[in-house]
PDB file of all heavy atoms in Angstrom:
ATOM      1  N   VAL A  25       2.588  12.689  -2.998  1.00 98.00           N
ATOM      2  CA  VAL A  25       1.888  13.843  -2.404  1.00 98.00           C
ATOM      3  C   VAL A  25       0.614  14.113  -3.198  1.00 98.00           C
ATOM      4  O   VAL A  25       0.605  13.986  -4.423  1.00 98.00           O
ATOM      5  CB  VAL A  25       2.784  15.108  -2.452  1.00 98.00           C
ATOM      6  CG1 VAL A  25       2.048  16.332  -1.919  1.00 98.00           C
ATOM      7  CG2 VAL A  25       4.073  14.891  -1.681  1.00 98.00           C
ATOM      8  N   THR A  26      -0.455  14.458  -2.484  1.00 98.00           N
ATOM      9  CA  THR A  26      -1.638  15.000  -3.156  1.00 98.00           C
ATOM     10  C   THR A  26      -1.866  16.414  -2.652  1.00 98.00           C
ATOM     11  O   THR A  26      -1.651  16.710  -1.474  1.00 98.00           O
ATOM     12  CB  THR A  26      -2.903  14.150  -2.886  1.00 98.00           C
ATOM     13  OG1 THR A  26      -3.058  13.958  -1.480  1.00 98.00           O
ATOM     14  CG2 THR A  26      -2.830  12.800  -3.586  1.00 98.00           C
ATOM     15  N   THR A  27      -2.268  17.277  -3.585  1.00 98.00           N
ATOM     16  CA  THR A  27      -2.627  18.643  -3.205  1.00 98.00           C
ATOM     17  C   THR A  27      -3.990  18.932  -3.817  1.00 98.00           C
ATOM     18  O   THR A  27      -4.499  18.146  -4.616  1.00 98.00           O
ATOM     19  CB  THR A  27      -1.614  19.669  -3.771  1.00 98.00           C
ATOM     20  OG1 THR A  27      -1.659  19.605  -5.203  1.00 98.00           O
ATOM     21  CG2 THR A  27      -0.207  19.381  -3.308  1.00 98.00           C
ATOM     22  N   ASN A  28      -4.589  20.020  -3.419  1.00 97.00           N
ATOM     23  CA  ASN A  28      -5.803  20.503  -4.083  1.00 97.00           C
ATOM     24  C   ASN A  28      -5.816  22.023  -3.926  1.00 97.00           C
ATOM     25  O   ASN A  28      -5.001  22.573  -3.164  1.00 97.00           O
ATOM     26  CB  ASN A  28      -7.063  19.808  -3.526  1.00 97.00           C
ATOM     27  CG  ASN A  28      -7.306  20.108  -2.062  1.00 97.00           C
ATOM     28  OD1 ASN A  28      -7.168  21.244  -1.621  1.00 97.00           O
ATOM     29  ND2 ASN A  28      -7.679  19.088  -1.284  1.00 97.00           N
ATOM     30  N   TYR A  47       4.782  23.690  -6.927  1.00 98.00           N
ATOM     31  CA  TYR A  47       4.762  22.288  -7.399  1.00 98.00           C
ATOM     32  C   TYR A  47       6.188  21.783  -7.634  1.00 98.00           C
ATOM     33  O   TYR A  47       6.528  20.649  -7.312  1.00 98.00           O
ATOM     34  CB  TYR A  47       3.936  22.146  -8.670  1.00 98.00           C
ATOM     35  CG  TYR A  47       2.436  22.181  -8.444  1.00 98.00           C
ATOM     36  CD1 TYR A  47       1.611  22.907  -9.284  1.00 98.00           C
ATOM     37  CD2 TYR A  47       1.864  21.478  -7.387  1.00 98.00           C
ATOM     38  CE1 TYR A  47       0.233  22.955  -9.072  1.00 98.00           C
ATOM     39  CE2 TYR A  47       0.496  21.516  -7.166  1.00 98.00           C
ATOM     40  CZ  TYR A  47      -0.317  22.259  -8.014  1.00 98.00           C
ATOM     41  OH  TYR A  47      -1.663  22.293  -7.806  1.00 98.00           O
ATOM     42  N   VAL A  58       3.194  13.292  -7.626  1.00 98.00           N
ATOM     43  CA  VAL A  58       2.696  14.538  -7.019  1.00 98.00           C
ATOM     44  C   VAL A  58       1.452  14.980  -7.792  1.00 98.00           C
ATOM     45  O   VAL A  58       1.561  15.373  -8.965  1.00 98.00           O
ATOM     46  CB  VAL A  58       3.776  15.642  -7.069  1.00 98.00           C
ATOM     47  CG1 VAL A  58       3.218  16.966  -6.550  1.00 98.00           C
ATOM     48  CG2 VAL A  58       5.011  15.225  -6.272  1.00 98.00           C
ATOM     49  N   SER A  59       0.289  14.914  -7.141  1.00 98.00           N
ATOM     50  CA  SER A  59      -0.950  15.309  -7.818  1.00 98.00           C
ATOM     51  C   SER A  59      -1.100  16.827  -7.821  1.00 98.00           C
ATOM     52  O   SER A  59      -1.040  17.465  -6.768  1.00 98.00           O
ATOM     53  CB  SER A  59      -2.171  14.691  -7.121  1.00 98.00           C
ATOM     54  OG  SER A  59      -2.276  13.323  -7.422  1.00 98.00           O
ATOM     55  N   ALA A  60      -1.315  17.392  -9.006  1.00 98.00           N
ATOM     56  CA  ALA A  60      -1.515  18.837  -9.170  1.00 98.00           C
ATOM     57  C   ALA A  60      -2.859  19.033  -9.874  1.00 98.00           C
ATOM     58  O   ALA A  60      -3.060  18.514 -10.975  1.00 98.00           O
ATOM     59  CB  ALA A  60      -0.372  19.424  -9.999  1.00 98.00           C
ATOM     60  N   GLU A  61      -3.748  19.781  -9.226  1.00 98.00           N
ATOM     61  CA  GLU A  61      -5.139  19.848  -9.718  1.00 98.00           C
ATOM     62  C   GLU A  61      -5.371  20.997 -10.699  1.00 98.00           C
ATOM     63  O   GLU A  61      -4.895  22.117 -10.473  1.00 98.00           O
ATOM     64  CB  GLU A  61      -6.077  19.983  -8.501  1.00 98.00           C
ATOM     65  CG  GLU A  61      -7.541  19.843  -8.868  1.00 98.00           C
ATOM     66  CD  GLU A  61      -8.400  19.497  -7.654  1.00 98.00           C
ATOM     67  OE1 GLU A  61      -7.879  18.995  -6.632  1.00 98.00           O
ATOM     68  OE2 GLU A  61      -9.622  19.711  -7.739  1.00 98.00           O
ATOM     69  N   VAL A  62      -6.130  20.712 -11.760  1.00 98.00           N
ATOM     70  CA  VAL A  62      -6.510  21.773 -12.700  1.00 98.00           C
ATOM     71  C   VAL A  62      -7.654  22.585 -12.089  1.00 98.00           C
ATOM     72  O   VAL A  62      -8.415  22.086 -11.265  1.00 98.00           O
ATOM     73  CB  VAL A  62      -6.945  21.208 -14.072  1.00 98.00           C
ATOM     74  CG1 VAL A  62      -5.805  20.446 -14.747  1.00 98.00           C
ATOM     75  CG2 VAL A  62      -8.182  20.315 -13.948  1.00 98.00           C
ATOM     76  N   GLY A  74      -3.471  20.939 -17.815  1.00 98.00           N
ATOM     77  CA  GLY A  74      -2.876  19.637 -17.492  1.00 98.00           C
ATOM     78  C   GLY A  74      -1.571  19.414 -18.236  1.00 98.00           C
ATOM     79  O   GLY A  74      -0.604  18.885 -17.663  1.00 98.00           O
ATOM     80  N   LEU A  77       1.096  21.484 -16.580  1.00 97.00           N
ATOM     81  CA  LEU A  77       1.497  20.903 -15.290  1.00 97.00           C
ATOM     82  C   LEU A  77       2.379  19.663 -15.515  1.00 97.00           C
ATOM     83  O   LEU A  77       3.424  19.503 -14.876  1.00 97.00           O
ATOM     84  CB  LEU A  77       0.259  20.512 -14.470  1.00 97.00           C
ATOM     85  CG  LEU A  77      -0.557  21.675 -13.889  1.00 97.00           C
ATOM     86  CD1 LEU A  77      -1.901  21.190 -13.350  1.00 97.00           C
ATOM     87  CD2 LEU A  77       0.230  22.382 -12.781  1.00 97.00           C
ATOM     88  N   LEU A  80       6.037  20.102 -16.160  1.00 97.00           N
ATOM     89  CA  LEU A  80       6.908  20.600 -15.082  1.00 97.00           C
ATOM     90  C   LEU A  80       7.892  19.561 -14.591  1.00 97.00           C
ATOM     91  O   LEU A  80       9.052  19.846 -14.294  1.00 97.00           O
ATOM     92  CB  LEU A  80       6.060  21.048 -13.878  1.00 97.00           C
ATOM     93  CG  LEU A  80       5.184  22.277 -14.028  1.00 97.00           C
ATOM     94  CD1 LEU A  80       4.428  22.511 -12.740  1.00 97.00           C
ATOM     95  CD2 LEU A  80       6.053  23.477 -14.376  1.00 97.00           C
ATOM     96  N   ILE A  84       4.676  14.690 -11.833  1.00 98.00           N
ATOM     97  CA  ILE A  84       3.348  15.325 -11.782  1.00 98.00           C
ATOM     98  C   ILE A  84       2.264  14.408 -12.336  1.00 98.00           C
ATOM     99  O   ILE A  84       2.393  13.814 -13.411  1.00 98.00           O
ATOM    100  CB  ILE A  84       3.343  16.661 -12.563  1.00 98.00           C
ATOM    101  CG1 ILE A  84       4.208  17.706 -11.860  1.00 98.00           C
ATOM    102  CG2 ILE A  84       1.901  17.179 -12.735  1.00 98.00           C
ATOM    103  CD1 ILE A  84       3.626  18.341 -10.609  1.00 98.00           C
ATOM    104  N   VAL A  85       1.181  14.283 -11.546  1.00 98.00           N
ATOM    105  CA  VAL A  85      -0.031  13.574 -11.946  1.00 98.00           C
ATOM    106  C   VAL A  85      -1.117  14.643 -12.069  1.00 98.00           C
ATOM    107  O   VAL A  85      -1.319  15.423 -11.132  1.00 98.00           O
ATOM    108  CB  VAL A  85      -0.440  12.538 -10.870  1.00 98.00           C
ATOM    109  CG1 VAL A  85      -1.756  11.868 -11.216  1.00 98.00           C
ATOM    110  CG2 VAL A  85       0.661  11.495 -10.670  1.00 98.00           C
ATOM    111  N   VAL A  86      -1.784  14.703 -13.217  1.00 98.00           N
ATOM    112  CA  VAL A  86      -2.787  15.745 -13.430  1.00 98.00           C
ATOM    113  C   VAL A  86      -4.085  15.337 -12.732  1.00 98.00           C
ATOM    114  O   VAL A  86      -4.659  14.282 -13.013  1.00 98.00           O
ATOM    115  CB  VAL A  86      -3.033  15.982 -14.934  1.00 98.00           C
ATOM    116  CG1 VAL A  86      -4.045  17.103 -15.131  1.00 98.00           C
ATOM    117  CG2 VAL A  86      -1.725  16.300 -15.653  1.00 98.00           C
ATOM    118  N   LYS A  87      -4.516  16.197 -11.807  1.00 98.00           N
ATOM    119  CA  LYS A  87      -5.712  15.883 -11.003  1.00 98.00           C
ATOM    120  C   LYS A  87      -6.924  16.541 -11.662  1.00 98.00           C
ATOM    121  O   LYS A  87      -6.961  17.770 -11.848  1.00 98.00           O
ATOM    122  CB  LYS A  87      -5.502  16.407  -9.580  1.00 98.00           C
ATOM    123  CG  LYS A  87      -6.295  15.671  -8.536  1.00 98.00           C
ATOM    124  CD  LYS A  87      -5.844  16.137  -7.156  1.00 98.00           C
ATOM    125  CE  LYS A  87      -6.643  15.513  -6.054  1.00 98.00           C
ATOM    126  NZ  LYS A  87      -6.323  16.118  -4.764  1.00 98.00           N
ATOM    127  N   ILE A  88      -7.908  15.699 -11.987  1.00 98.00           N
ATOM    128  CA  ILE A  88      -9.060  16.133 -12.785  1.00 98.00           C
ATOM    129  C   ILE A  88     -10.342  15.858 -12.004  1.00 98.00           C
ATOM    130  O   ILE A  88     -10.522  14.741 -11.499  1.00 98.00           O
ATOM    131  CB  ILE A  88      -9.121  15.282 -14.085  1.00 98.00           C
ATOM    132  CG1 ILE A  88      -7.800  15.331 -14.855  1.00 98.00           C
ATOM    133  CG2 ILE A  88     -10.326  15.630 -14.945  1.00 98.00           C
ATOM    134  CD1 ILE A  88      -7.682  16.453 -15.815  1.00 98.00           C
ATOM    135  N   ASN A 109      -5.241  11.698 -11.892  1.00 98.00           N
ATOM    136  CA  ASN A 109      -5.900  11.334 -10.635  1.00 98.00           C
ATOM    137  C   ASN A 109      -7.300  11.945 -10.706  1.00 98.00           C
ATOM    138  O   ASN A 109      -7.434  13.180 -10.723  1.00 98.00           O
ATOM    139  CB  ASN A 109      -5.093  11.910  -9.461  1.00 98.00           C
ATOM    140  CG  ASN A 109      -5.781  11.730  -8.113  1.00 98.00           C
ATOM    141  OD1 ASN A 109      -6.887  11.188  -8.036  1.00 98.00           O
ATOM    142  ND2 ASN A 109      -5.136  12.197  -7.054  1.00 98.00           N
TER     143      ASN A 109
END
Side-chain angles (χ1 to χ4, degrees):
V25 176
T26 52
T27 63
N28 63 43
Y47 284 137
V58 175
S59 285
E61 189 160 340
V62 298
L77 288 168
L80 292 179
I84 292 285
V85 175
V86 182
K87 206 171 176 188
I88 306 272
N109 173 359

